[in-house]
Amino acid sequence: VIDRWRDAGFEEAVFYYPPDSNMPDGTVTPGVFERAFAAP
Amino acid sequence: LKLGVITLQWSPWPELTDRWRYLDELGVETIWVADHLGSERLPPGAPWFEAWSCLTALAYETKRARIGPLVSPMTYRNPGVLARQALTVAEISGGRLELGIGSGASAYDHEATQVPEWPPKERAAAFVTWTERLVEMLSFERYDPKHDIRLTIAGRGPTILGLAARYAYRWNTFGGFGVSLEEALESAKKDNARLDELCAKTGRTVVRSTSSAGTDSSRRRRGPPTRRSPR
């Protein structure tokens, strides 16, 4: 998902933290926050 | 892609400050708070802390991350007061403030402050005047500003993009309410292209930021405004 936003021309992604806060049930990709920070 | 985080201020205070320190140490680029007066989705019994008070604390609790409101709304922020708040937190944080602004569309905030909602065209026009006043006040000589404060302008539509091209360091979008990832990306690409055109005219570059990357299906669609009382 992050790669697709990058490909769309975006330079920054802002996540809610904790990731599921303020988001409707089921709309957050599980582990997306940790994976994003783990990526080189 | 640079990564930022928005932390909602509805956790107990010790938990919230622990969270800020953790995120700062983790290396997030930006830590944001929501500048609303509450939320319809606030869990029963949960606290809600005011944004600029949080930013003062955030300035003390963190050492590296840039901090700011995502976003301070026109609804109840007087631009002269907001400029003074921003300059104050910029100084406290050692110049780490990012000032996010938006035209505001929270029914909760309008209800709490008894500020009548604007019809969309009036809201857009008012936001232009409000933003121009804020920009003026951020460099108001009698405020003796010590920091150049970067603006983040959030939202969609030609007025918002036009303001971003003129004044913003960063433009933030969520891609749209109630849409799929594909639809969000498609509309964001169009807005990005439009912003490119506008930036070509103003001769500026604007960082593109999304707050939708953590979601991959439709977000809740906002209901109609509860009141429409033109100013």
Side-chain angles (χ1 to χ4, degrees):
Chain A
V1 174
I2 292 173
D3 288 343
R4 296 193 65 190
W5 281 100
R6 180 193 291 121
D7 293 344
F10 284 79
E11 300 150 282
E12 181 183 71
V14 179
F15 292 84
Y16 281 94
Y17 190 88
D20 58 352
S21 58
N22 203 37
M23 301 297 253
D25 290 345
T27 62
V28 177
T29 307
V32 66
F33 181 84
E34 288 75 13
R35 289 207 304 275
F37 274 88
Chain B
L1 212 67
K2 292 184 176 179
L3 298 174
V5 163
I6 181 165
T7 56
L8 297 178
Q9 312 90 268
W10 62 19
S11 300
W13 187 252
E15 196 175 304
L16 197 55
T17 52
D18 283 351
R19 188 171 294 159
W20 290 336
R21 285 192 296 270
Y22 165 73
L23 292 166
D24 191 43
E25 289 165 11
L26 192 62
V28 299
E29 295 280 337
T30 47
I31 302 175
W32 306 89
V33 296
D35 192 357
H36 294 295
L37 299 174
S39 168
E40 289 88 352
R41 295 187 289 282
L42 193 64
W48 183 272
F49 300 108
E50 190 278 325
W52 282 91
S53 306
C54 286
L55 287 166
T56 303
L58 191 46
Y60 272 97
E61 296 288 352
T62 57
K63 293 181 173 61
R64 195 203 58 82
R66 299 188 66 81
I67 62 174
L70 195 65
V71 292
S72 278
M74 169 181 71
T75 310
Y76 54 83
R77 295 294 183 190
N78 177 284
V81 177
L82 182 58
R84 187 52 113 183
Q85 289 173 299
L87 290 165
T88 300
V89 173
E91 178 68 16
I92 292 170
S93 65
R96 290 185 287 129
L97 182 75
E98 301 281 343
L99 178 52
I101 59 169
S103 60
S106 160
Y108 188 108
D109 292 343
H110 278 283
E111 180 67 30
T113 56
Q114 292 291 288
V115 173
E117 293 201 30
W118 297 268
K121 282 187 180 175
E122 288 184 26
R123 182 183 292 276
F127 188 54
V128 172
T129 305
W130 184 90
T131 302
E132 288 170 344
R133 178 64 175 164
L134 175 65
V135 169
E136 183 183 325
M137 294 307 290
L138 286 171
S139 57
F140 184 41
E141 191 176 339
R142 288 170 62 187
Y143 279 4
D144 192 21
K146 300 278 195 300
H147 300 274
D148 289 327
I149 295 177
R150 305 198 305 205
L151 280 183
T152 294
I153 297 181
R156 304 184 61 213
T159 302
I160 299 288
L161 294 174
L163 283 171
R166 287 167 63 194
Y167 299 119
Y169 166 78
R170 173 193 287 107
W171 167 64
N172 176 269
T173 183
F174 50 78
F177 284 113
V179 297
S180 68
L181 173 63
E182 301 302 329
E183 292 167 329
L185 282 163
E186 197 56 39
S187 64
K189 282 180 190 172
K190 286 178 184 169
D191 284 346
N192 239 349
R194 179 65 184 139
L195 186 55
D196 285 341
E197 294 171 6
L198 292 165
C199 285
K201 291 178 185 171
T202 59
R204 300 181 71 253
T205 56
V206 176
V207 170
R208 319 301 164 96
S209 169
T210 175
S211 43
S212 289
T215 179
D216 60 4
S217 65
S218 61
R219 295 184 64 173
R220 191 174 312 176
R221 186 181 294 279
R222 219 183 277 261
T226 53
R227 290 172 288 112
R228 288 187 180 276
S229 305
R231 281 185 163 175

